[in-house]
Amino acid sequence: MIDLSSVGNTDGNPLFYDLPSTLDEFLYSYNPCGPFTELTCVDVAACQYSPYYYTGYDIGVPDKVSFNYDGLNVIANYVSQDGTRQSFITLVCDPGAATPSLDVMGESTTTQYYMTLTSAAACPVPSPFGSSGGISGGSVLLIIFFVLLAVYLATGVAFNKFRRSASGKELIPNLNFWTELPALVRDGVKYSLSLVCKRKSGYGAV
């Protein structure tokens, strides 16, 4: 899980403003988590600005973003409001980068724009539910087991108390079974070990 909530402005201005590109002559602005407005770019996450025509182009809005993993980094894919342009922001984890930085490649192909955000905020943080994002199957089975055990004990004790007028250890449901269980387990272990020892000793001559 990556949390970018600490990165970006919330006052309607972009964190990165009019940065030059390595591929074209446009300037680019970007704000990771909050919308901003720049000229004709209204409530966007990313804007391409032409210094010659004084025009801004929406290249991604914050409510149209998806995240993908390329095997090394997470990539944020923003889509413009009209769906015609896309921005791909590669999120690079750098624990020592207290101040985030943005490298702008620009328009690599028509209507597709590429940037790289380097920040400590791009580093994974532990998920409260583990790596799968949910409770594991083993945890679910344990929860079910203990819930059923509690229901079994509560029902058994209530039945023995009110229907059989039992008291003390007689309240325990199926008392004879639980009393004999340790001996049964012991016998089972002994039997299993005896089979293992016989296999290790090999076969007799025919």
Side-chain angles (χ1 to χ4, degrees), residues 2 72-74 90-97 116-125:
I2 289 178
L72 182 62
N73 297 303
V74 173
T90 300
L91 307 178
V92 176
C93 166
D94 184 354
T116 299
L117 173 66
T118 302
S119 171
C123 297
V125 297

Side-chain angles (χ1 to χ4, degrees), residues 5-73:
S5 60
S6 62
V7 181
N9 295 332
T10 58
D11 59 359
N13 296 307
L15 178 64
F16 303 100
Y17 178 74
D18 285 355
L19 298 184
S21 161
T22 58
L23 293 179
D24 54 50
E25 297 180 348
F26 292 93
L27 301 177
Y28 291 84
S29 299
Y30 174 58
N31 199 55
C33 287
F36 69 91
T37 297
E38 180 181 355
L39 298 176
T40 53
C41 294
V42 179
D43 293 333
V44 298
C47 179
Q48 181 193 51
Y49 169 63
S50 171
Y52 301 103
Y53 299 102
Y54 302 101
T55 302
Y57 302 96
D58 167 13
I59 59 173
V61 293
D63 60 348
K64 289 186 177 182
V65 59
S66 59
F67 296 89
N68 302 290
Y69 183 61
D70 65 359
L72 182 62
N73 297 303

Side-chain angles (χ1 to χ4, degrees), residues 127-200:
S127 168
F129 299 106
S131 59
S132 65
I135 300 177
S136 66
S139 299
V140 172
L141 291 177
L142 285 175
I143 292 173
I144 293 174
F145 169 77
F146 285 111
V147 168
L148 291 178
L149 179 63
V151 172
Y152 163 76
L153 290 175
T155 304
V157 169
F159 178 83
N160 288 336
K161 181 176 180 62
F162 297 107
R163 295 296 299 271
R164 295 181 176 177
S165 300
S167 61
K169 67 178 183 178
E170 299 297 330
L171 290 172
I172 300 175
N174 305 112
L175 178 61
N176 291 336
F177 169 77
W178 296 114
T179 302
E180 296 174 358
L181 182 60
L184 294 174
V185 172
R186 183 184 67 248
D187 292 341
V189 171
K190 285 184 178 179
Y191 177 74
S192 299
L193 291 176
S194 68
L195 293 178
V196 173
C197 292
K198 285 181 180 180
R199 287 187 177 182
K200 287 185 176 181

